[in-house]
Amino acid sequence: MTSEKLQHIATYKVAIILFRKLLKSGTITESEFHRCESNIAEKCGLSLCSIYREIA
């Protein structure tokens, strides 16, 4: 795995942590969380069936 791919995975994981905090605090809804997760996964180049994704 290239360092670029590892950077994309790390970026995705950090974003998910932030989105989960927003979800837990009630700032965003569950559907907004799913939308955010899908968008960041796409931007980071993670496919729908990637083992790194939180939601499949």
Side-chain angles (χ1 to χ4, degrees):
M1 187 177 301
T2 66
S3 63
E4 182 181 356
K5 186 66 174 176
L6 288 173
Q7 181 64 38
H8 286 263
I9 293 168
T11 300
Y12 169 81
K13 291 294 188 178
V14 168
I16 291 300
I17 290 169
L18 296 172
F19 292 143
R20 284 207 186 280
K21 286 184 179 187
L22 291 172
L23 179 63
K24 187 176 179 181
S25 70
T27 305
I28 62 173
T29 65
E30 188 76 29
S31 66
E32 289 171 325
F33 174 79
H34 288 279
R35 216 171 340 148
C36 291
E37 188 279 335
S38 182
N39 286 338
I40 195 67
E42 183 180 330
K43 288 181 182 184
C44 290
L46 298 178
S47 69
L48 182 60
C49 61
S50 174
I51 63 170
Y52 301 107
R53 286 195 60 181
E54 297 285 320
I55 301 170

